[in-house]
Structure formats: structure tokens, C-alpha cells
Amino acid sequence: NAGVMQNPRHLVRRRGQEARLRCSPMKGHSHVYWYRQLPEEGLKFMVYLQKENIIDESGMPKERFSAEFPKEGPSILRIQQVVRGDSAAYFCASSPPLRGALNTEAFFGQGTRLTVV
Amino acid sequence: GDSVTQMEGPVTLSEEAFLTINCTYTATGYPSLFWYVQYPGEGLQLLLKATKADDKGSNKGFEATYRKETTSFHLEKGSVQVSDSAVYFCALSDSGGSQGNLIFGKGTKLSVKP
């Protein structure tokens, strides 16, 4: 059972370009979460998605950032017109559907390290 | 809002030394508490968790006890190894359900010397 797969592992973009980060959740998982880790910082929650729905985007910057989790295919985090401050590691996590009141664990991918030059 | 505060690193220890990494939290509800470990160049792995007060999570020789009275979840290991060198993150979830919406501390880097 493959884990959470993120690609690419490393991404270099020039200022003003677009960055597209992909996340394939574990098999059977319908919840996806994106986090950003700035250098020497902890992880900051960005967005929580279920298939075709954004559940919580309270951590997403208001401009240039968007996320989707279509019915088919991976979840995509898109950053338009990247700036140097977007350089960070972006982690995706997934969890299975809720089972009543039973809490479920989230599993993390290895991350995409974005460098904006 | 909810938050997690953990001791700042880096922490440098000799092999077989005792490890404590402090973690305290603030939360309005009844959170679940976690320790994650991040090895160099890797993603986060769940190390241990506790879902209610007085629970003790344990794994690979690491332990942490959920202390509601002191709002703490300190990580301990009796004898560290070089292979334990990593960044350790304390986290909480107060979502009431799926534990993916986690709030993380800033992380504590541990280096263990032979």
C-alpha cells in the first residue's frame, strides 16, 4: 500500500512563474491537507479538502494560492506568480473517511521543496 | 486560538543520554496530542499520540503523557541513539474528528553524538 505521494520532490521556479504541486493520497483516503514549512519553522496549516470540496481554507493566503481535489486524480496546490517568499517545503497529508466519532490518523508525504529564484 | 509551544533547540546529547523535550499547549476544547518526527530530507512521521487526559503514548522507546492539569505533553526517552537525530514536532488536533487539521509547534532539532 503506497503512502502519500507528492511530486515533484524539488521544484525551481523563477519569480512570476506558476508552481503546481501534486499530491496523491493513500488508497482509500478521501481527506487531503496541505501544510507549508518555512525554513526553521514548524508546519502551518493551509487547506483541508475532500473530494471536489474545500472544507477549510483558513490558512491559505488570500491571493495567488489555490487548491483543488478533483473527483479523479491528485490534489493540486497551485501558486501563481511566485515570489521569493513562497520558497518553502509544502507537505500534503491524507486521512481516511471519518468513522462516527472515531478519530483517524493523518499520513504525510515527503513534501515538495519549492525554490523561487 | 489553539497553539503549541515547545522548547527551542537545537538539543545536542551524547549517545545513551536522557532526553526531554518540553511541549505545552493551549486549546479551548479537548484536543488530541501528537509527537511527529522528521528525519533529514523526509516528511513527517507520527511518533506517538494521546487522545485524552492521563493517556500515555509510547513508541520506539519514546514516551509522552497527556497532562491536562499542566497542559503539557513532554517527550522523553531514557537512552537516545545516534539514529534518533531528527526534528521533533509537538502538535494538537481539536477538530473533533479527522486529525489532519493539526496545529504544530516550531520543532526541536535533536543531534545525538556518538
Side-chain angles (χ1 to χ4, degrees):
Chain A
N1 185 13
V4 178
M5 303 300 293
Q6 290 188 246
N7 67 83
R9 290 290 305 275
H10 301 275
L11 181 62
V12 179
R13 285 287 176 266
R14 297 185 187 279
R15 281 178 295 172
Q17 290 185 319
E18 178 179 284
R20 290 169 67 90
L21 288 63
R22 286 177 290 277
C23 170
S24 296
M26 287 181 69
K27 187 176 181 181
H29 286 194
S30 57
H31 300 216
V32 166
Y33 312 81
W34 286 94
Y35 291 82
R36 177 164 63 175
Q37 184 180 31
L38 294 170
E40 307 300 323
E41 294 285 330
L43 276 73
K44 300 291 187 186
F45 168 77
M46 299 181 74
V47 62
Y48 163 33
L49 310 104
Q50 295 177 18
K51 286 283 187 182
E52 300 183 281
N53 285 305
I54 296 174
I55 306 303
D56 180 354
E57 57 182 348
S58 58
M60 286 278 271
K62 293 288 185 279
E63 298 177 347
R64 302 187 297 108
F65 285 71
S66 62
E68 62 178 9
F69 188 18
K71 187 176 180 181
E72 301 291 338
S75 176
I76 306 289
L77 179 67
R78 180 188 301 172
I79 312 172
Q80 296 178 302
Q81 299 175 320
V82 296
V83 300
R84 289 227 171 102
D86 297 332
S87 296
Y90 292 82
F91 289 95
C92 171
S94 73
S95 65
L98 301 180
R99 295 285 183 262
L102 183 66
N103 286 334
T104 55
E105 177 186 337
F107 295 82
F108 281 80
Q110 292 186 305
T112 294
R113 282 154 181 81
L114 172 67
T115 302
V116 179
V117 297
Chain B
D2 295 357
S3 65
V4 173
T5 302
Q6 61 182 104
M7 65 185 285
E8 296 200 11
V11 174
T12 303
L13 296 173
S14 298
E15 208 164 19
E16 300 183 3
F18 184 86
L19 169 71
T20 299
I21 301 178
N22 289 339
C23 171
T24 57
Y25 67 90
T26 56
T28 52
Y30 299 93
S32 295
L33 301 173
F34 307 84
W35 278 100
Y36 280 83
V37 58
Q38 184 180 30
Y39 297 103
E42 300 293 325
L44 274 71
Q45 302 173 26
L46 178 66
L47 181 60
L48 54 83
K49 68 179 181 182
T51 57
K52 62 183 187 297
D54 299 325
D55 269 3
K56 178 187 283 188
S58 61
N59 185 26
K60 300 181 182 179
F62 290 89
E63 293 183 339
T65 300
Y66 189 146
R67 301 282 187 206
K68 193 168 185 292
E69 63 276 14
T70 54
T71 61
S72 65
F73 193 54
H74 304 321
L75 182 68
E76 296 182 336
K77 186 173 185 182
S79 176
V80 293
Q81 306 299 314
V82 173
S83 58
D84 293 327
S85 298
V87 181
Y88 292 82
F89 292 93
C90 185
L92 72 79
S93 169
D94 201 12
S95 309
S98 174
Q99 293 170 344
N101 187 4
L102 296 161
I103 297 170
F104 286 88
K106 290 191 174 183
T108 302
K109 185 175 181 179
L110 170 66
S111 295
V112 180
K113 307 296 184 186

